[in-house]
Amino acid sequence: MGFSLLCSPAISGVFLFSLIACCLLPELALAGAGITRHYKFNVKLQNVTRLCHTKSIVTINGQFPGPRIVAREGDHLLIKVANHVQNNISIHWHGIRQLQTGWADGPAYVTQCPIQTGQSYLYNFTIVGQRGTLFWHAHISWLRSTVYGPLIILPKRGVPYPFAKPYKEVPLIFGEWWNADPEEVISQALQTGGGPNVSDAYTINGLPGPLYNCSIRDTFKLKVKPGKTYLLRLINAALNDELFFSIANHTLTVVEADAVYVKPFETDTILIAQGQTTNVLLKTKPHFPNATFFMTARPYVTGLGTFDNTTVAGILQYDLFPSKTLSTISIKKLPLYKPVLPPLNDTSFAANFTSKLRSLASFQFPANVPHKVDKRFFFTIGLGTSPCDQQNQTCQGPNGTRFAASVNNVSFSLPTTALLQAHFFGQSNGVYSPDFPSSPRIPFNYTGNPPNNTMVSNGTKMVVLPYNTSVELIMQDTSILGAESHPLHLHGFNFFVVGQGFGNFDPNKDPANFNLADPVERNTVGVPSGGWVAIRFQADNPGVWFMHCHLEIHTSWGLKMGWVVLDGKLPNQKLLPPPADLPKC
């Protein structure tokens, strides 16, 4: 299972009894499913240097990226987060379904008030029916830029992967490095109404790599042996960019997406949106290749705004023999091969890649897509504008307005009281209204010429669903300020991607082509640029659940909304009461 890699020094500083057992006595950690694992996350400032620029950043336990969580399906996690910085903080366990434990989901002002300076909160949840690669990250403002880390869920003991057991497993988490303070970047953008400045570099496991100035030593190196199979756990934790990823002269086999197994397929290049995870098998060459190989990632770009047009690189390096190690001098003499990534705006590649993703749909791992639909929704997803509210100053959005983003023309406003708390205690009046529109108030040619009025409305509106409602949701990109891909993440649920296409969704023709046999199951999906995507899910998890664009600037501009799922009749269908240490606003 590659435990020598999962028990790496990257997790030093985390208090975890079961992790000590993992590193010292692996057989103890594997002794059974359903154990309780304790972690301690100290939110603290740490000086970090990248690109020859040293700055103090918010971290967990002083690590960038943060510590790795390793658990098994069925394990119970108790993660105490103590805040020692001036920023408010909350942590989201991205992709964990949080069955009946919505209080542990983490988005600030949705399921909890943030953890304030000097306070702590114990995240308490069980991993039910999930295994694979997920991640955790801060879920308030732009603190996700430095506060993130892998969340690896191994299968129950004795349950194998549905593919050949890999020789070793390696998490690769993509992020960004900002010489500026990202909190100041978003604060300035929201104040001026314009677009934000972009990051200075992309990173692999926190390292920018040799294509950036002053970064040769800050390069992630993956050392492999010939003739072995490695499981690479890819995670895109970047704030604002979908990424292409490839390893020169090597083919990757995709076996999992968003912690759900998929039908394996081979590819030279991976597309991974913000908030998505992808597991791939890398089979190394049978003999020492007398070469080294770049692993590179750069953005897939569809919008009209500025973006970080740089490339992060790591190095795939072969070990010659177990008893011999190549010297630094001999490695430098080897030829270095570079992969060829798709063009920055290659939407056809993006569509072709996503169309290959299919659920296993096997007896052991069925695709339980709802065939009967109780509620249908049609959401437009995109950018717009709002009036400039600054006196005697022109805002920096289009035509002197402010950039805004919306779902069905509603730009979501977070309240000052946590939505889940308001719902649970029956105090929603004045906090949110249960009248989120199920379709656009004024239909228009969504991917054609935009309407004259691009102004969005503002509000805190929610969709309310009875327990176990089967939902079909069409998400339609708009070209109001230019077509753009939007990675939409739904908290609390996995969903099935039953269809997608370009242009305007046709309710009379397109459903006939929906895939209800083996659609891919995800928690984050890209709404195609100038197109639409159709998803289905069963609302079988009571609570309040956030849905938002994982392009962080779009979330900041209001491209988000919420679902309220009411309690069912049985005890296991009801949201549990809040914990005593739930943070207060």
Side-chain angles (χ1 to χ4, degrees):
M1 300 295 292
F3 267 83
S4 61
L5 282 164
L6 295 182
C7 300
S8 74
I11 46 177
S12 61
V14 181
F15 174 76
L16 175 62
F17 172 80
S18 56
L19 188 61
I20 296 173
C22 166
C23 291
L24 299 180
L25 298 171
E27 66 275 11
L28 292 182
L30 301 178
I35 67 174
T36 298
R37 300 178 185 264
H38 299 264
Y39 283 81
K40 179 67 180 290
F41 275 20
N42 286 306
V43 185
K44 58 184 289 189
L45 295 176
Q46 182 70 37
N47 284 338
V48 175
T49 302
R50 298 288 187 270
L51 310 182
C52 278
H53 185 90
T54 301
K55 67 173 187 174
S56 181
I57 64 174
V58 180
T59 68
I60 301 297
N61 301 340
Q63 300 173 39
F64 173 67
R68 188 181 308 169
I69 289 179
V70 182
R72 283 193 177 274
E73 178 185 349
D75 282 353
H76 186 71
L77 291 181
L78 294 172
I79 307 169
K80 185 175 182 179
V81 177
N83 187 6
H84 303 289
V85 301
Q86 293 302 308
N87 309 74
N88 288 344
I89 192 76
S90 68
I91 304 293
H92 171 51
W93 319 96
H94 184 109
I96 296 291
R97 289 209 54 201
Q98 300 291 358
L99 292 167
Q100 297 183 274
T101 54
W103 307 105
D105 192 43
Y109 301 106
V110 178
T111 60
Q112 66 168 95
C113 298
I115 307 166
Q116 300 178 28
T117 305
Q119 296 183 348
S120 63
Y121 181 45
L122 184 67
Y123 288 93
N124 182 347
F125 58 91
T126 300
I127 301 170
V128 180
Q130 293 183 277
R131 82 292 304 165
T133 301
L134 297 171
F135 71 117
W136 58 264
H137 61 81
H139 210 302
I140 184 170
S141 190
W142 279 22
L143 290 182
R144 179 163 65 91
S145 60
T146 59
V147 181
Y148 62 85
L151 201 172
I152 296 168
I153 308 169
L154 302 171
K156 292 180 179 179
R157 191 182 178 189
V159 178
Y161 295 136
F163 46 81
K165 180 181 178 181
Y167 173 68
K168 284 186 178 178
E169 305 180 9
V170 185
L172 298 182
I173 189 161
F174 302 106
E176 293 160 311
W177 173 261
W178 305 68
N179 286 335
D181 180 356
E183 292 297 281
E184 294 181 1
V185 170
I186 182 55
S187 177
Q188 181 184 31
L190 294 179
Q191 182 178 0
T192 64
N197 292 331
V198 300
S199 58
D200 295 281
Y202 299 106
T203 59
I204 298 177
N205 291 351
L207 302 172
L211 300 183
Y212 295 100
N213 292 332
C214 194
S215 298
I216 293 178
R217 293 184 179 180
D218 292 330
T219 300
F220 176 75
K221 295 179 181 178
L222 176 58
K223 295 183 179 181
V224 298
K225 300 181 184 299
K228 301 291 185 181
T229 298
Y230 292 78
L231 179 65
L232 306 184
R233 297 177 176 270
L234 308 179
I235 302 165
N236 187 352
L239 287 186
N240 291 315
D241 292 283
E242 300 181 61
L243 295 170
F244 293 120
F245 171 75
S246 183
I247 302 177
N249 294 26
H250 288 74
T251 299
L252 303 173
T253 302
V254 178
V255 294
E256 179 194 300
D258 288 0
V260 181
Y261 299 130
V262 298
K263 290 183 171 68
F265 67 92
E266 293 185 348
T267 181
D268 295 329
T269 303
I270 301 294
L271 174 65
I272 183 167
Q274 310 93 302
Q276 291 184 338
T277 62
T278 305
N279 280 6
V280 298
L281 296 177
L282 166 68
K283 189 169 185 179
T284 58
K285 298 182 181 302
H287 307 289
F288 184 77
N290 289 316
T292 55
F293 306 90
F294 262 158
M295 310 181 288
T296 61
R298 74 176 184 195
Y300 163 54
V301 182
T302 55
L304 300 178
T306 57
F307 61 95
D308 181 354
N309 185 15
T310 61
T311 302
V312 59
I315 293 178
L316 180 70
Q317 180 179 313
Y318 278 74
D319 281 343
L320 188 55
F321 296 106
S323 59
K324 295 183 180 180
T325 301
L326 291 173
S327 68
T328 303
I329 296 176
S330 61
I331 291 173
K332 290 182 178 179
K333 291 182 178 180
L334 293 175
L336 176 61
Y337 291 99
K338 300 179 181 180
V340 178
L341 292 171
L344 293 167
N345 61 349
D346 197 341
T347 295
S348 62
F349 176 91
N352 184 53
F353 178 83
T354 55
S355 68
K356 294 178 181 177
L357 293 166
R358 292 283 188 270
S359 290
L360 277 182
S362 63
F363 176 79
Q364 187 176 7
F365 303 105
N368 294 318
V369 56
H371 284 247
K372 174 181 172 293
V373 175
D374 298 321
K375 295 279 188 180
R376 285 183 166 86
F377 298 89
F378 182 87
F379 289 176
T380 54
I381 308 290
L383 300 186
T385 59
S386 60
C388 184
D389 57 5
Q390 301 182 32
Q391 295 182 354
N392 303 320
Q393 182 179 351
T394 301
C395 289
Q396 296 177 6
N399 300 316
T401 62
R402 304 173 62 86
F403 277 112
S406 66
V407 181
N408 277 352
N409 208 49
V410 178
S411 187
F412 194 84
S413 302
L414 283 176
T416 55
T417 299
L419 295 167
L420 181 58
Q421 188 174 342
H423 160 67
F424 185 84
F425 291 106
Q427 299 170 346
S428 61
N429 189 27
V431 178
Y432 69 84
S433 59
D435 57 350
F436 191 90
S438 61
S439 60
R441 297 295 192 198
I442 304 176
F444 60 97
N445 184 0
Y446 308 113
T447 56
N449 293 327
N452 293 328
N453 183 6
T454 64
M455 297 293 179
V456 305
S457 62
N458 296 286
T460 308
K461 300 175 182 291
M462 311 278 283
V463 172
V464 179
L465 296 172
Y467 180 82
N468 213 34
T469 301
S470 58
V471 175
E472 179 180 281
L473 170 61
I474 312 298
M475 291 184 283
Q476 172 76 59
D477 181 38
T478 66
S479 58
I480 291 175
L481 293 182
E484 187 170 3
S485 176
H486 300 276
L488 263 292
H489 172 49
L490 176 60
H491 291 228
F493 302 94
N494 281 354
F495 52 77
F496 292 92
V497 183
V498 298
Q500 64 180 32
F502 292 104
N504 295 336
F505 174 74
D506 188 333
N508 297 315
K509 296 181 179 179
D510 289 325
N513 298 317
F514 283 178
N515 175 15
L516 302 181
D518 62 350
V520 67
E521 184 178 351
R522 307 207 71 144
N523 62 60
T524 304
V525 65
V527 179
S529 176
W532 55 270
V533 64
I535 68 172
R536 288 186 181 184
F537 66 94
Q538 201 78 25
D540 56 358
N541 193 5
V544 172
W545 305 108
F546 207 28
M547 190 177 82
H548 61 98
C549 184
H550 230 266
L551 214 162
E552 205 66 35
I553 183 57
H554 289 181
T555 297
S556 299
W557 284 337
L559 210 168
K560 50 199 175 188
M561 53 83 63
W563 304 81
V564 178
V565 178
L566 303 176
D567 282 347
K569 296 180 180 179
L570 303 178
N572 66 346
Q573 299 172 351
K574 298 179 184 295
L575 176 67
L576 299 176
D581 64 339
L582 182 71
K584 296 178 175 58
C585 292

